[in-house]
Amino acid sequence: MAQSNLAIEPETLKAIYGQMSRIRAVDKAIQAGLSAGKFMFTYWPLTGQECIPATISQLITKDDYMVTTYRGIHDQVAKGVDLYGMFAEALGREDGVNKGKGGSPHISDPSSGSMVTTAIVGAGAPIANGLAISAKERGEDRVTIVNFGDGATSIGAVHEAMNLAGAWKLPVIFMCQNNEWGEYTPIPKYTASPNFYGRAEALGFRGVQLDGNDPVAFYNGMKDVIEHVRAGKGPVFVEAKTFRLGPHAGVGDNMNVDKDYLKTKKEQAPVDKTRALLVEAGICRGSRCHRRSGEEGSRRGDCQGDGIDRDPGERNAHRRLRRSLRRPGARQLSVPRGRGRTACRNEDDVHRRSGARRPADRLRQKSGSLHSG
Amino acid sequence: MLDAQQIAFAKNPEVFILGEDVGDPQGGVFGTNKGLQTEYGETRVRPTPIAEQAIIGAALGSSIAGMSPIAEIMFTDFFGVCMDQIYNHAAKQRYMSGAATHAPMTIRVQAGGGMGGFGAQHSQSMEAWLLHSPGIKVVYPSNPVDAKGLLASCIEDPDPCVQIEAMILLYTMKGEVPVGDYKIPLGVAKVLREGTDITLISYGWMVNQVLAAAEELAKEGISAEVIDLRTLMPIDYHRVLDSVKKTGRAMVVHAAVEFCGYGAEIASTINEELWDKLKAPATRLGAAYAPIAYSSAIEFTQVPGQAHVVTRVKDIMKA
């Protein structure tokens, strides 16, 4: 392998990519199903923002708390929420992770540390403080990460929460996924102060700006941030620069953006870029790796009416979702093993080869325990 | 209430108070926490910034993690700046999560009114907002004994509870309270005065106006039964309906605006449930549809008092 110049362990980068791939697979499956009319629910796409939670997933455990928003499927997938339960929840079914009463904008799954998901912009931040208070008072070294978009920086709840977290030195990370759009309004239209991370400094605690589309830089930046917070040195506000390739709600492209700009942003999007980096660094071999994303040369097919596509690289995540739909009573998620030994052939391979704990393993271990509530 | 909190603090190390000015030496703007911070320290009694969303959010998050916070909001009028955290988040967490998580938190809040001079933004009764938000339990004591017993139950309840404390009672009513770990179960009303002609249903500081009115009515030969709801949600319809079956007449009295108020809801239920047993339609008496005036002369005419209750009851008896 010839990846010696990378500022990250190859195994870690592979694991990050594995999570990005899972997120991409879920995103694509949902968009395909919605487009084909196979199922219907409101979807707020996260396309383009996969790198942020994928990277964070390699720095935290299920014991760390997470709060996110309705645009949070990527956060849920990376945190380890059961894919079956999450998808059933989005469909409003009784076997959903929250019995179909919350839906995708209100996932709450303490077994994976995904505590609260809110559909009210900015409202998660004050709640995250409370989770952080419990960790601090109990002497636990958990961190609480609250995700929100750049749009949420305008609302009072976020400001109030940041001020309190600073005053009480709470172990909380304000994760601002700056995707350049507050619903349908771009940043310059809604604030004269676009350096969001600077607001933390104004409130007396640390704020950093990181490239949320660059797994290597983001990993190293977040490693430092999480160590800081875990060590009890107070909160950190992270402005993770990314871009929302999709619309505020629905499927497809972000139609509010100039076409050329969108093209540039698509080129900068993290999934393909990270795959290319893995190949270039010699961590994965090209041809097999290349088939993962499914943008080129993928095979698509109608899978028993659920509209999930069959790209080889995403087969396993799709398979799990598909089986979920077919067998509503089944709690065991079936993930095929040993499908090939070629580098990066599929998501499972990435995990197996990297030695990272596969999310699917975690899911299998805890499956069946979600209905106890 | 101080007593209830002291006992809760001693029983459970994960009970803590947070809110504006809750620390010593003042122990809260009404002194209801006096000495607690000195005894238990700054992590158990946490004075906060003036930021109600941050207060309720912090209470909610810690309760989801299993702690038992008591968040103090200075006046019900300030619900307006933190209602999202209360009705969208605290109230709904158990339901939306399919009971995967829940929020065993308590909110203590003071309600102005009946004193004059506090103006339109410190004298309102906003309990109907809470009652219209499924998922929140609400208690509104009318005396010190109930304030202690209900608060103790709220703190140990597995779901979000709001105790509304009338400022006028904090200033004017003193009384002995039972010692030790005394609790009044939520959802149990109390018949404070037995009567045969009409059931007067009330809660909070208005109960005392109603009791005084009942005394006045007795002199004129009208026997009024007075029920103190104590817990507004869940409501003790059992006791209410039983009483009205007996008297055949009912009026709900509250300090909140009459229009779209809790009294209308209760009166409507009584009318539906006991239509054929009523001697007169069940009705309600609340404040006029207007902001509360600063002038006490105006306030005392717009919010029901003893005289208003007496007049209305006489009208009902004539009907």
Side-chain angles (χ1 to χ4, degrees):
Chain A
M1 293 195 176
Q3 69 281 1
S4 54
N5 291 333
L6 279 179
I8 190 170
E9 287 295 318
E11 305 306 316
T12 306
L13 188 59
K14 277 200 285 190
I16 292 171
Y17 181 59
Q19 285 288 9
M20 280 191 209
S21 263
R22 293 179 77 237
I23 294 165
R24 166 62 63 87
V26 170
D27 181 28
K28 285 185 71 177
I30 292 172
Q31 295 212 25
L34 291 171
S35 300
K38 305 288 181 181
F39 45 75
M40 228 171 82
F41 52 81
T42 308
Y43 184 57
W44 299 272
L46 52 286
T47 322
Q49 301 177 213
E50 300 89 348
C51 175
I52 294 166
T55 303
I56 292 170
S57 75
Q58 301 308 307
L59 290 161
I60 61 171
T61 73
K62 66 179 176 53
D63 292 331
D64 292 306
Y65 289 139
M66 182 190 78
V67 176
T68 187
T69 75
Y70 53 91
R71 194 186 312 289
I73 295 286
H74 55 329
D75 299 320
Q76 313 286 7
V77 170
K79 195 75 177 76
V81 177
D82 181 11
L83 294 184
Y84 173 104
M86 190 178 70
F87 199 57
E89 189 62 33
L91 294 173
R93 290 185 0 179
E94 190 185 2
D95 50 352
V97 66
N98 300 119
K99 301 178 183 169
K101 290 181 175 175
S104 72
H106 301 300
I107 299 284
S108 181
D109 177 35
S111 65
S112 64
S114 174
M115 302 303 284
V116 174
T117 305
T118 177
I120 306 294
V121 170
I127 301 169
N129 278 344
L131 292 164
I133 287 170
S134 76
K136 188 171 177 168
E137 287 313 307
R138 291 167 173 170
E140 300 165 340
D141 73 345
R142 302 175 199 253
V143 298
T144 299
I145 298 181
V146 51
N147 297 279
F148 49 86
D150 53 282
T153 58
S154 297
I155 205 162
V158 170
H159 176 85
E160 286 192 24
M162 286 170 65
N163 184 53
L164 187 77
W168 290 357
K169 278 188 174 286
L170 297 177
V172 62
I173 295 167
F174 297 98
M175 176 57 60
C176 173
Q177 301 188 16
N178 178 353
N179 65 17
E180 298 190 16
W181 286 83
E183 302 200 1
Y184 296 107
T185 306
I187 293 169
K189 299 278 186 196
Y190 70 69
T191 183
S193 168
N195 70 327
F196 300 118
Y197 67 101
R199 298 182 189 187
E201 288 165 14
L203 289 169
F205 66 95
R206 190 174 162 198
V208 297
Q209 188 183 53
L210 299 171
D211 184 345
N213 279 1
D214 177 345
V216 178
F218 193 61
Y219 178 83
N220 290 315
M222 282 307 296
K223 191 165 184 288
D224 181 48
V225 165
I226 290 170
E227 279 167 6
H228 173 99
V229 176
R230 237 189 254 291
K233 294 178 183 170
V236 177
F237 181 99
V238 178
E239 179 185 348
K241 303 269 282 182
T242 182
F243 188 78
R244 194 188 77 209
L245 294 171
H248 165 56
V251 299
D253 284 343
N254 185 339
M255 301 304 283
N256 292 66
V257 190
D258 174 79
K259 272 183 184 154
D260 290 337
Y261 190 68
L262 184 63
K263 188 165 172 280
T264 310
K265 287 296 179 185
K266 279 187 173 177
E267 286 161 11
Q268 293 168 356
V271 182
D272 292 353
K273 221 175 59 179
T274 304
R275 185 186 60 224
L277 179 63
L278 283 166
V279 174
E280 191 187 332
I283 299 169
C284 286
R285 271 182 285 162
S287 58
R288 295 292 186 181
C289 215
H290 195 66
R291 291 174 62 190
R292 293 187 50 76
S293 82
E295 248 91 69
E296 308 89 20
S298 70
R299 290 180 289 121
R300 284 173 182 269
D302 181 4
C303 303
Q304 299 293 325
D306 59 14
I308 291 169
D309 88 32
R310 295 182 82 133
D311 179 80
E314 295 150 8
R315 186 179 291 136
N316 291 308
H318 287 178
R319 194 186 304 269
R320 285 195 292 278
L321 292 176
R322 197 164 61 238
R323 289 190 179 188
S324 304
L325 287 169
R326 277 195 204 139
R327 297 185 297 139
R331 297 301 310 155
Q332 289 293 109
L333 295 177
S334 170
V335 181
R337 288 173 168 276
R339 295 193 53 85
R341 296 291 165 201
T342 318
C344 293
R345 169 156 182 171
N346 60 32
E347 172 211 335
D348 287 276
D349 256 33
V350 172
H351 287 287
R352 189 179 306 118
R353 292 170 64 84
S354 71
R357 264 177 91 202
R358 293 191 325 167
D361 288 336
R362 290 206 297 271
L363 294 176
R364 190 178 293 110
Q365 281 162 14
K366 72 180 180 60
S367 68
S369 67
L370 293 174
H371 285 273
S372 55
Chain B
M1 288 172 295
L2 177 61
D3 204 25
Q5 292 181 137
Q6 257 163 347
I7 289 160
F9 267 51
K11 268 172 82 174
N12 179 358
E14 298 218 318
V15 174
F16 69 100
I17 294 174
L18 70 169
E20 293 155 15
D21 308 322
V22 293
D24 287 329
Q26 72 274 18
V29 285
F30 301 104
T32 55
N33 315 311
K34 231 178 210 358
L36 275 180
Q37 191 185 43
T38 309
E39 188 177 350
Y40 287 98
E42 291 195 349
T43 58
R44 299 287 299 278
V45 180
R46 292 170 170 265
T48 62
I50 301 174
E52 280 81 5
Q53 292 191 80
I55 294 168
I56 301 297
L60 171 56
S62 67
S63 74
I64 290 171
M67 299 184 84
S68 300
I70 304 167
E72 195 175 304
I73 298 295
M74 210 178 281
F75 282 92
T76 58
D77 312 72
F78 307 165
F79 278 155
V81 291
C82 58
M83 203 56 189
D84 175 61
Q85 289 291 326
I86 297 173
Y87 89 105
N88 258 332
H89 292 89
K92 293 173 183 168
Q93 188 61 29
R94 179 188 285 276
Y95 186 87
M96 291 196 305
S97 72
T101 45
H102 62 109
M105 63 185 281
T106 301
I107 300 172
R108 284 184 52 211
V109 61
Q110 280 74 40
M115 296 176 73
F118 281 83
Q121 294 172 349
H122 283 69
S123 307
Q124 298 168 90
S125 300
M126 305 311 297
E127 62 271 15
W129 280 5
L130 302 171
L131 296 166
H132 208 70
S133 310
I136 310 173
K137 295 172 185 169
V138 183
V139 304
Y140 197 162
S142 66
N143 61 76
V145 175
D146 289 358
K148 176 180 172 175
L150 292 169
L151 180 59
S153 289
C154 287
I155 295 169
E156 294 192 3
D157 195 85
D159 289 301
C161 295
V162 179
Q163 170 153 306
I164 303 173
E165 297 161 4
M167 185 168 64
I168 188 170
L169 299 182
L170 287 166
Y171 280 131
T172 62
M173 191 182 264
K174 295 208 187 313
E176 300 276 311
V177 298
V179 291
D181 191 6
Y182 172 75
K183 286 200 280 286
I184 295 171
L186 302 184
V188 181
K190 189 174 184 182
V191 178
L192 295 183
R193 181 188 176 107
E194 292 198 25
T196 52
D197 294 328
I198 185 167
T199 303
L200 299 176
I201 302 142
S202 192
Y203 52 87
W205 67 272
M206 191 54 66
V207 167
N208 302 294
Q209 308 293 315
V210 172
L211 281 171
E215 195 67 43
E216 190 69 30
L217 288 163
K219 288 176 195 161
E220 302 186 30
I222 297 171
S223 168
E225 180 145 309
V226 178
I227 294 183
D228 180 357
L229 288 176
R230 305 199 291 190
T231 304
L232 310 192
M233 180 59 65
I235 181 173
D236 187 355
Y237 266 132
H238 177 74
R239 271 183 179 71
V240 170
L241 294 174
D242 265 6
S243 170
V244 183
K245 270 182 212 163
K246 183 179 72 177
T247 61
R249 299 181 187 86
M251 181 168 77
V252 188
V253 188
H254 55 55
V257 168
E258 185 177 297
F259 183 80
C260 280
Y262 195 35
E265 176 61 38
I266 297 169
S268 175
T269 301
I270 294 170
N271 285 327
E272 285 171 17
E273 294 290 323
L274 302 176
W275 181 248
D276 54 343
K277 296 184 178 62
L278 291 175
K279 296 169 190 157
T283 186
R284 77 284 190 210
L285 176 64
Y289 186 74
I292 303 292
Y294 174 79
S295 156
S296 54
I298 302 174
E299 182 180 347
F300 295 157
T301 62
Q302 65 187 137
V303 178
Q306 178 189 338
H308 299 88
V309 177
V310 169
T311 307
R312 282 293 293 273
V313 170
K314 284 183 184 170
D315 288 348
I316 293 168
M317 295 304 294
K318 275 183 223 154

